[in-house]
Amino acid sequence: MKVLPLLLLSLILSSCSSSKSLDKVHIENPCFDSQFLKLKKMRVSEMTGVESEYFKSKTIECEEFEKRSKTDISTKDFIVVIGILGVVAGIFVFLINFKAH
């Protein structure tokens, strides 16, 4: 019965999600900004000064957003793997103790 709390703890920890990941749901992707997508189809020589500045600004925002997204995905993958390993370890310990009795 000592293993049951460990198993429950493993399941709880593996199903947790951080508030940081929940906040990301509401962040708008700058790469899909309608004005930015229109400007991407244009040549730079056809853009006005304001459009060119907007395009440069959104290009930087888009690159930064994509870098952050890749980092967040890597972190989430790591957390999921650790959670799964915790559950597997809990089951393994439970089975070992079950056979011992």
Side-chain angles (χ1 to χ4, degrees), residues 5-18:
L6 286 174
L7 182 61
L8 290 174
L9 180 63
S10 298
L11 288 171
I12 291 168
L13 291 176
S14 67
S15 65
C16 290
S17 64
S18 68

Side-chain angles (χ1 to χ4, degrees), residues 2-3 6 87-99:
K2 293 179 182 179
V3 178
L6 286 174
V87 170
V88 170
I91 292 170
F92 182 71
V93 170
F94 176 75
L95 291 175
I96 288 174
N97 284 336
F98 184 73
K99 287 183 181 181

